Amino acid sequence: MALLDNWEVVIGLETHAQLATQSKIFSGAATAFGAAPNAQACAVDIALPGVLPVLNRKAVECAIRFGLAIGATIAPRSIFARKNYFYPDLPKGYQISQYELPVVQGGALTIRVGQGEGVAEKTVRLTRAHLEEDAGKSLHEDFHGKSGIDLNRAGTPLLEIVTEPDMRSSDEAVAYAKALHALVRWIDICDGNMQEGSFRCDANVSVRRKGDPKLGTRREIKNLNSFRFMQQAIDYEVRWQIERIEDGGTIEQATVLFNPDTGETRAMRSKEDAHDYRYFPDPDLLPLEIAPAWIERVKGEMPELPVAMKARFERDFGLTAYDATTLTASLDMARYFEAVVAAAGRDTAKTCANWVMGDLAARLNRDEKDVAASPVSAAQLGGLVARIADSTISNSIAKKVFDALWNGEGAGRDNAADEIIDKQGMRQITDSGAIEAIIDEVLAANAKSVEEFRAGKEKAFNALVGQAMKATKGKANPQQVNDLLRKKLAAGAA
Amino acid sequence: MSLSNDQVHRIAHLARIELAPGEDARIRDQLNGIFTLIEQMQAVDTSGVAPMSHAVDLSQRLREDKPSETDQHVRFQQIAPEVEAGLYLVPKVIE
């Protein structure tokens, strides 16, 4: 983009991750998605007089897990504050959040940007992550000119995760958002469902002339609930800001919304008091204290993190960085792959990786299935890879066995691949006498191809290999067929 | 520091408190009186004293993550001015 030549883009992200708890952060109301309106809004959530908030232990534990996963400081003591503003979906007139002393401080996330040869790693520093409650939902559809308020979401626990302004392009912002999305699911603190609003991002975007030490004025794009929209919104916003400054205008701090239909960002009606939240410590909540013993216990329960697992896959299994990254895209995927290797043997890890990322991923994708719900179990796929590795079957036959497994043959039995191979007589023919006999028949029946080959047509050779493979129903080892056929043709010519 | 009338009106607006005509001057003087007290306190050297966030020196009690509330929205909504399809109806507010 020529427009960008003289400009630097500066982006910071704020992400709201809905924490995977059963009940709300300060009340015993359920958090399940999709309940009838206001059926899960209790007296605390709707702010009836006299109620008191009581903090959910699991929500705190999620914050600890996150802090450990990004190498942050878990505050031994943190404070809840009231963020004051008036809106119909906020019954108390304030949101309970954390301001001066958040529970998670600092930390960093490594992201990978670019593709193929151009992949580069970059570290995005995190400023903080704090616990807070979500607001309710306003429905602006037709209620005789009024808005309908559903408070089921009010009080749902959120972890707001804030970065330093470390990203320099929409690509980096999206790479960060994806890495964060993968991480919160990996450590099982958020289901990551973006359609249901469980993971939503705000992007603070500014531009400055290259070399300018001072940051430009930022505009905040609110509520980006897909990676594609994030990319489009930031790209549009960057162009808009640069063009405005180049046309002699200035940027005013504003909150903007992205319209996916037009692909444009638009400033919300500016409210001069929008950011005057008058935070103060919530007198209803005592300081949150997290003892070192609690942090140690959570540390012991954490799964191996994706970065560590990726390094181990490269080191122990000899996988490429690309393969290791792909296989650690989610914890379910990584666990599945490890189980395949465990069943097939460590020496076959590369073949296992190819099958998981190739045939299996393609099928899962086509049938819109998650790897956890794969009809082919890891043990079954491992059994199949083992038969390829010991030359019982060829790769092309293996694909047929895989089809059978996918369609439920031998479902529930770990040795299903062996059963299918035996039942259908799919064992590779390695007896060279048997293969030679078949080749003789093929040569006799395809005199024309033999002639063409002798006349120098290499294509004719491939046709003969094809005929021989067909005659063995694909069960011969193609390399062996190749070798024997060449030998026979050479002998015949002499 | 002392507040101007404009600042008094702004604070009142943020808190959604209605001021009667002529009331602003009295409120301004009262608030400025409070600020004088705060200035006196701020004159004390508190470096080395940890900021206090709560009047009692205890830490937050935690609750197990178990849903314990039942659906009472019909009862709750008996005091709502207007309700439809389980929703509270309010004057339209769109940003």
Side-chain angles (χ1 to χ4, degrees):
Chain A
M1 212 193 302
L3 185 68
L4 278 171
D5 285 350
N6 303 316
W7 294 90
E8 182 176 50
V9 178
V10 177
I11 304 166
L13 287 184
E14 291 171 20
T15 306
H16 287 92
Q18 184 181 314
L19 298 174
T21 59
Q22 302 293 310
S23 63
K24 294 191 177 173
I25 185 168
F26 297 118
S27 82
T31 53
F33 185 81
N38 290 304
Q40 292 178 172
C42 72
V44 173
D45 306 324
I46 67 172
L48 290 186
V51 297
L52 279 175
V54 186
L55 184 55
N56 183 335
R57 178 185 301 277
K58 173 86 184 288
V60 178
E61 196 147 316
C62 289
I64 298 173
R65 283 173 89 85
F66 181 73
L68 289 170
I70 56 157
T73 302
I74 315 285
R77 190 166 179 277
S78 66
I79 304 292
F80 286 93
R82 292 184 178 182
K83 177 179 178 176
N84 299 279
Y85 66 94
F86 287 97
Y87 204 72
D89 59 20
L90 187 78
K92 292 194 296 297
Y94 58 86
Q95 176 194 28
I96 304 177
S97 181
Q98 295 194 296
Y99 188 58
E100 278 170 311
L101 282 175
V103 61
V104 174
Q105 300 166 8
L109 194 60
T110 301
I111 60 171
R112 290 165 64 83
V113 196
Q115 282 177 343
E117 299 281 298
V119 171
E121 283 202 345
K122 171 167 181 149
T123 299
V124 175
R125 292 169 300 157
L126 300 190
T127 314
R128 59 187 279 160
H130 65 252
L131 286 164
E132 63 181 29
E133 58 179 344
D134 207 345
K137 244 181 197 156
S138 305
L139 304 166
H140 300 300
E141 289 97 74
D142 194 27
F143 291 106
H144 341 288
K146 301 205 167 186
S147 292
I149 303 294
D150 178 4
L151 297 173
N152 280 348
R153 203 179 63 184
T156 298
L158 301 176
L159 190 64
E160 180 174 333
I161 302 157
V162 184
T163 74
E164 293 290 304
D166 279 356
M167 287 149 282
R168 292 291 173 271
S169 66
S170 58
D171 284 345
E172 289 185 7
V174 170
Y176 163 80
K178 284 184 172 170
L180 183 66
H181 185 249
L183 182 66
V184 295
R185 284 179 305 152
W186 189 284
I187 59 175
D188 202 20
I189 64 167
C190 170
D191 69 16
N193 190 322
M194 296 176 85
Q195 283 81 42
E196 290 175 5
S198 299
F199 186 91
R200 40 192 208 264
C201 298
D202 304 335
N204 285 298
V205 180
S206 67
V207 298
R208 61 179 165 188
R209 285 184 201 277
K210 277 189 180 157
D212 190 340
K214 206 168 136 272
L215 288 172
T217 304
R218 65 169 200 257
R219 303 213 309 167
E220 181 181 19
I221 313 170
K222 277 276 181 199
N223 267 331
L224 295 165
N225 63 358
S226 93
F227 299 126
R228 192 163 55 89
F229 291 164
M230 176 183 287
Q231 184 116 39
Q232 289 174 1
I234 293 174
D235 286 343
Y236 178 87
E237 178 65 23
V238 165
R239 274 198 303 278
W240 185 88
Q241 290 189 15
I242 292 175
E243 280 168 8
R244 189 172 173 88
I245 298 172
E246 289 191 336
D247 289 348
T250 52
I251 304 296
E252 276 173 42
Q253 191 164 339
T255 302
V256 305
L257 290 175
F258 175 67
N259 180 342
D261 297 328
T262 61
E264 296 178 357
T265 53
R266 174 182 60 80
M268 291 166 75
R269 193 161 49 87
S270 92
K271 292 185 294 180
E272 74 279 11
D273 49 44
H275 291 287
D276 200 342
Y277 292 125
R278 293 149 297 138
Y279 284 95
F280 64 90
D282 191 331
D284 287 347
L285 287 156
L286 291 158
L288 167 63
E289 289 190 351
I290 299 175
W294 190 5
I295 298 174
E296 282 310 309
R297 183 173 62 69
V298 175
K299 202 183 271 180
E301 292 164 1
M302 294 274 284
E304 183 182 18
L305 293 173
V307 175
M309 196 181 271
K310 173 181 165 280
R312 183 165 60 79
F313 283 4
E314 289 180 45
R315 189 181 64 236
D316 293 0
F317 297 148
L319 297 185
T320 61
Y322 175 83
D323 287 357
T325 303
T326 307
L327 290 166
T328 52
S330 77
L331 188 57
D332 282 341
M333 178 67 90
R335 287 196 169 142
Y336 185 95
F337 167 71
E338 286 211 277
V340 175
V341 175
R346 177 172 287 216
D347 296 342
T348 68
K350 176 61 191 163
T351 312
C352 293
N354 290 344
W355 276 88
V356 171
M357 298 186 307
D359 292 75
L360 180 76
R363 284 303 177 88
L364 291 172
N365 207 15
R366 192 194 67 188
D367 291 8
E368 292 177 3
K369 278 193 160 80
D370 195 75
V371 68
S374 169
V376 182
S377 74
Q380 289 175 338
L381 183 56
L384 176 61
V385 171
R387 293 294 85 82
I388 303 167
D390 66 13
S391 297
T392 303
I393 53 172
S394 65
N395 242 319
S396 57
I397 292 289
K399 285 184 191 291
K400 288 184 187 157
V401 178
F402 182 81
D403 277 344
L405 290 171
W406 184 272
N407 292 325
E409 246 181 88
R413 292 197 293 283
D414 289 353
N415 65 341
D418 282 335
E419 288 177 13
I420 294 165
I421 293 165
D422 285 340
K423 204 167 81 192
Q424 306 202 16
M426 286 168 153
R427 276 175 195 284
Q428 194 155 248
I429 305 167
T430 48
D431 172 9
S432 52
I435 297 176
E436 278 186 57
I438 290 165
I439 288 177
D440 285 338
E441 280 170 35
V442 168
L443 290 177
N446 294 277
K448 190 159 168 272
S449 292
V450 175
E451 222 168 277
E452 284 175 1
F453 173 74
R454 297 228 159 99
K457 268 197 182 168
E458 190 61 23
K459 249 189 173 168
F461 180 76
N462 295 337
L464 289 166
V465 173
Q467 288 298 324
M469 290 305 293
K470 199 173 156 192
T472 63
K473 299 200 181 73
K475 290 188 289 186
N477 180 323
Q479 191 53 48
Q480 207 177 356
V481 169
N482 250 290
D483 294 345
L484 289 170
L485 189 58
R486 282 222 186 263
K487 219 164 77 188
K488 288 222 174 253
L489 286 166
Chain B
M1 99 176 249
S2 75
L3 290 175
S4 68
N5 269 2
D6 281 351
Q7 285 170 315
V8 170
H9 281 284
R10 178 169 155 72
I11 294 166
H13 172 70
L14 283 171
R16 299 298 189 275
I17 292 171
E18 193 177 4
L19 292 181
E23 203 180 6
D24 50 0
R26 189 170 57 84
I27 298 282
R28 183 199 63 212
D29 291 344
Q30 286 177 351
L31 285 173
N32 281 335
I34 293 168
F35 276 115
T36 311
L37 293 174
I38 291 171
E39 271 165 27
Q40 276 179 36
M41 289 190 275
Q42 279 183 333
V44 179
D45 179 11
T46 56
S47 54
V49 179
M52 188 181 75
S53 60
H54 208 281
V56 292
D57 191 17
L58 293 168
S59 66
Q60 178 61 37
R61 191 171 66 87
L62 300 174
R63 178 177 59 77
E64 289 312 308
D65 179 31
K66 284 202 190 95
S68 56
E69 296 286 344
T70 53
D71 176 9
Q72 300 192 68
H73 79 276
V74 175
R75 275 183 70 205
F76 293 154
Q77 290 185 339
Q78 281 168 4
I79 55 167
E82 207 174 342
V83 170
E84 188 176 312
L87 300 161
Y88 296 89
L89 293 195
V90 300
K92 202 157 205 160
V93 188
I94 289 195
E95 294 194 62

